[in-house]
Amino acid sequence: MILYKTDEQVEKMRKSALLVSQTLTEVAGILRPGISTLSIDQLVGEYIRDHQAIPSFLNYNGYPFNSCISVNDVVVHGFPNKRELKEGDIISVDIGVIMDGWHGDHAYTFAIGDPGERVMQLIRVTKESLYKGIEKAIAGNRVGDIGFAIQEHTEKKHGYGVVRELVGHGLGKDLHEDPQVPNYGKRGSGAKLKEGMVLAIEPMINLGKKEVYTEDDGWTVRTKDGKPSVHFEHDVCVRKNKADILSDYRPIEAAETANPYLFTGTVSVLQ
Ligand code: MF3
Ligand code: CO
């Protein structure tokens, strides 16, 4: 069942989404070779709790950390660990909060030093595809229009692998609500988009083939071919002519640009 949000509820969700953006901005400020993803996860947990919210991933279906930190060939749901990041690693940081009963859930992929031109292109194109999907998140369109736009840009235009097993989702009082929002699909297919639907749109795009597997820990999803994967996620509210993006990449991008250890793709001018 799809739950539509009132304007008042959307404003609460914006606060939750923006707390995630702020947390990702803090993360962008401390990333450098030599730090462990576990220390990032600790900062994430402290920052969220310092801001009257709860890290929503912790204990969700038994997930044991505050955040998902996915390095290189890890697609999503990577466990933070003690290993140190090194130059050339790419890392997706995915964070969820509950504040005042409402969820925020979004993600950003960073490059620690230079991962090479091909991987920087994957990062840039995946971020572009997220905005191409968001452009379709308007009343009257269908869920399949979002996936079609993402798939066209990543798979058809650039030959990347679009992960099929994991999808975006509705967001609200629950972390995962209807509808599912695949990053692939047919134009004009699926549920009709209506004003007040809040969606987490999250392309997971592989440099190589689309196939993935889950490790024995039950969570960590990796590419089968061992090539890198990139993940970006925004929370958006469907509106008549233009989706309202509740999360905000601008402070994250500013911190990314200011951090000399991070390589940056094109800065988005879409918000
Ligand atoms: N952004 C991811 C999702 O929408 C994060 C969930 S991780 C979990 O599924 F640990 F909470 F499951
Ligand atoms: Co999500």
Side-chain angles (χ1 to χ4, degrees), residues 231-251:
H231 177 215
F232 283 96
E233 180 175 20
H234 260 316
D235 301 334
V236 310
C237 181
V238 174
R239 292 299 185 200
K240 275 205 182 92
N241 299 309
K242 193 173 181 288
D244 182 2
I245 308 179
L246 306 180
S247 38
D248 191 355
Y249 278 171
R250 288 169 301 186

Side-chain angles (χ1 to χ4, degrees), residues 162-181:
V162 176
V163 175
R164 301 300 202 270
E165 290 84 346
L166 298 136
V167 297
H169 50 94
L171 186 73
K173 283 199 172 284
D174 284 315
L175 175 58
H176 295 127
E177 294 187 359
D178 288 339
Q180 294 200 352
V181 185

Side-chain angles (χ1 to χ4, degrees), residues 21 61 65 93 100 118 145 148 151 171 182-183 195 200:
S21 308
N61 290 339
F65 295 96
V93 183
D100 203 8
R118 276 166 31 125
D145 293 318
F148 180 81
Q151 187 176 18
L171 186 73
N183 299 303
E195 274 202 87

Side-chain angles (χ1 to χ4, degrees), residues 200-217:
I201 304 179
E202 46 179 321
M204 290 154 263
I205 309 296
N206 301 344
L207 183 62
K209 294 195 188 331
K210 64 179 184 303
E211 281 74 24
V212 300
Y213 70 97
T214 305
E215 271 185 35
D216 291 341
D217 63 20

Side-chain angles (χ1 to χ4, degrees), residues 25-98:
T25 303
E26 293 295 311
V27 170
I30 63 153
L31 286 175
R32 57 175 173 76
I35 70 164
S36 72
T37 52
L38 194 60
S39 69
I40 298 167
D41 186 73
Q42 276 159 3
L43 170 107
V44 166
E46 281 166 25
Y47 191 84
I48 292 169
R49 290 181 194 283
D50 280 351
H51 289 79
Q52 293 73 51
I54 290 168
S56 59
F57 294 175
L58 185 64
N59 300 323
Y60 180 85
N61 290 339
Y63 186 78
F65 295 96
N66 299 305
S67 58
C68 300
I69 305 190
S70 305
V71 181
N72 297 334
D73 64 316
V74 178
V75 179
V76 286
H77 303 167
F79 282 181
N81 60 36
K82 286 189 172 157
R83 242 195 28 241
E84 292 179 356
L85 291 170
K86 57 181 195 311
E87 232 178 279
D89 283 342
I90 60 167
I91 99 164
S92 128
V93 183
D94 189 353
I95 296 172
V97 305
I98 313 178

